[in-house]
Every structure is written in C-alpha cells, then in structure tokens.
Amino acid sequence: MKIPGFTSNRDKKSTSTRRKSYFLIPPLALWHPWWHQFMDWMVIFLTVMLCLIMLPTRLPGMELLGIGPNWLLIWVVAWSVNRSVFSGLLSGIILGLLQDAMTSPNPTHALGLGIVGMLTALMQKQRFIQEDFISIALIVFVMAVVADTIFAFQLSWEGNRHAASIWTYYQRATLASAILSSLWAPVVYYPLNRWWQQMKLIRNS
C-alpha cells in the first residue's frame, strides 16, 4: 500500500530521468550564433519552396473561379513588413524569378512582386498600418490587386492578345486572387513572424 505524501525511489528516478531528458536539446537561445543563422536560412528556404509547391495546388477551400491564393505574394508581404525597402524589393524580384521558372518568364512576375515588396516596406516605414492579422490581410488584398494589375498591363503591352479580353478576365481573376490570398495570409504570416521575432530577440540579447 502506497502512503499519500511519500514518493518511492522509483518515482524519484523517473522524475530525475524526465528532467534530464529536457536538457538533451538546449534552448535555441543557447545555440551558437552560426546555428541561428543557418536555421533562419533553412526556414526561409523551406517556406519559399512550400509556397512554390502550393502555387499550382487546388485543395478544398483554396479555389475561387479556378484561381488559388498567391502564396509567394503572401510570403513577400510577410517578409517585407518589418524590413527595409531594398530588402522587400529584392525578395520580391527573387521570388518572382522563381515563379517565372515554374510558369513562363514572359511576362515576368518579378516586376509585380518586386513592387509589392517595395510598397509593403514603404507602408510599414511610414507606419500607416499597424501590424496585426486584419492589417496584414488588408495589405495582402491590396498588393494582390497591384501585382495582378501589373501583370495584366504587361500582357496588354505585348499586343499579342486583345486588350478588352485581358482586362475582362483579370477583373474576375484579380478579385478572386485578392480575396483568397487575404483569407489565407495569416497561415503564412503568423508562424514566419513568430520565428523572425524570436530570432530578433535572440540576436539582441
């Protein structure tokens, strides 16, 4: 019979073993700074690759009029919110070139995403919009309209298609893409923002 209030040696051993297991992996703050940078690069690389994979994917709830969320645009907005104008512009151009490699380089997506990154960084530098889920969704909605409008302008300038048919299609496509992208923006923004905030705190400590 076990008397309440007293612990056996077996319980003490299991407790000490459990405590030791907690320290097998040290906290992230105790890692070497090089590992912090490596992990940050890996998070950036893997999330960008995931967004590229998700672009042609059409899962239930991720499609409206045959259009899906613009995952790369959401990533560019999440990156550019707390960074410089040059960093936002550069990230948009790089991700736009990656999208061109998956689809077609003519017209390019780099121009639209580059301008999206630049404008997002400018908006946050001026502190026009506070940083929360509603604000991020609003920014993504506006930037999706900007990016698709730039893409439609490029198609019109090429002159290979009838301008009226281009704008008729892109009015529907832009609205569908902006709505879906803004609804799914927190799925990308929240974990990335938490990670980058944690990295910032570690570097400043």
Side-chain angles (χ1 to χ4, degrees):
M1 179 177 179
K2 188 175 180 180
I3 302 175
F6 293 91
T7 56
S8 63
N9 291 332
R10 184 181 301 173
D11 294 335
K12 290 180 180 179
K13 289 180 181 179
S14 63
T15 303
S16 62
T17 304
R18 197 180 301 115
R19 288 177 179 173
K20 287 180 181 178
S21 65
Y22 289 152
F23 297 97
L24 292 178
I25 301 177
L28 189 61
L30 300 180
W31 291 17
H32 192 276
W34 188 89
W35 279 106
H36 294 159
Q37 189 64 55
F38 175 76
M39 290 298 296
D40 198 20
W41 288 340
M42 286 301 298
V43 168
I44 292 172
F45 174 78
L46 292 176
T47 52
V48 168
M49 291 298 105
L50 181 60
C51 288
L52 281 171
I53 294 172
M54 290 296 292
L55 273 180
T57 305
R58 296 293 183 268
L59 298 176
M62 292 186 182
E63 184 178 1
L64 182 62
L65 300 177
I67 306 297
N70 193 336
W71 297 104
L72 290 180
L73 182 139
I74 299 172
W75 198 99
V76 170
V77 170
W79 170 270
S80 306
V81 160
N82 290 314
R83 285 175 173 81
S84 65
V85 174
F86 176 76
S87 180
L89 175 64
L90 184 62
S91 68
I93 292 174
I94 293 174
L95 266 66
L97 293 175
L98 290 175
Q99 188 172 358
D100 289 345
M102 288 187 62
T103 56
S104 172
N106 190 25
T108 179
H109 297 85
L111 178 61
L113 288 181
I115 292 176
V116 164
M118 180 184 66
L119 292 178
T120 302
L122 281 173
M123 292 172 67
Q124 287 300 315
K125 288 299 178 184
Q126 299 298 327
R127 294 298 173 190
F128 292 136
I129 298 179
Q130 296 299 318
E131 189 178 336
D132 54 36
F133 286 162
I134 298 177
S135 299
I136 294 300
L138 179 61
I139 294 174
V140 169
F141 184 92
V142 174
M143 293 305 161
V145 173
V146 170
D148 285 345
T149 303
I150 292 173
F151 193 81
F153 266 119
Q154 292 183 79
L155 286 175
S156 299
W157 289 335
E158 287 182 356
N160 297 331
R161 300 173 180 86
H162 196 269
S165 61
I166 292 174
W167 289 106
T168 300
Y169 170 76
Y170 271 93
Q171 284 176 1
R172 299 193 304 268
T174 298
L175 183 60
S177 176
I179 292 173
L180 286 174
S181 298
S182 60
L183 289 176
W184 285 95
V187 176
V188 177
Y189 170 77
Y190 180 73
L192 284 177
N193 186 56
R194 285 290 301 271
W195 170 259
W196 287 327
Q197 283 183 346
Q198 187 177 5
M199 287 292 100
K200 185 178 180 180
L201 289 174
I202 291 174
R203 294 189 186 103
N204 294 337
S205 61

